[in-house]
Amino acid sequence: MTTHTFIAQDESGRRCRIQVTRDAADAASRAGAASSPDHAPVYVLEDGSRVRRIDNDTFQVIATGAYVTRVAE
């Protein structure tokens, strides 16, 4: 399993850390196959809240519906 972390910010300016977790075994098995929802990366805020990826830089907090945008560190 691999984990990547990056910073995102909401519209009020508060920053949060998002962790992206991928299963390394799943990544190897998908190398030649189309990706499926079962093998999609998991996005989680530092407090454990799940987020959904909207596009490359935008994420939505599932519990609240709030949007956060990826920012340079």
Side-chain angles (χ1 to χ4, degrees):
M1 180 170 20
T2 60
T3 301
H4 299 282
T5 304
F6 58 88
I7 302 296
Q9 180 173 310
D10 66 12
E11 67 179 32
S12 68
R14 287 184 291 171
R15 291 186 175 214
C16 57
R17 190 173 306 275
I18 295 179
Q19 292 183 342
V20 184
T21 304
R22 293 182 185 93
D23 188 343
D26 286 343
S29 69
R30 302 185 282 229
S35 65
S36 70
D38 293 339
H39 302 300
V42 176
Y43 300 94
V44 182
L45 290 176
E46 56 197 337
D47 69 357
S49 301
R50 296 277 310 256
V51 294
R52 177 173 65 106
R53 186 176 187 163
I54 304 298
D55 60 31
N56 284 341
D57 295 325
T58 308
F59 297 82
Q60 183 179 29
V61 181
I62 294 174
T64 64
Y67 289 94
V68 294
T69 303
R70 186 176 182 166
V71 294
E73 294 183 49

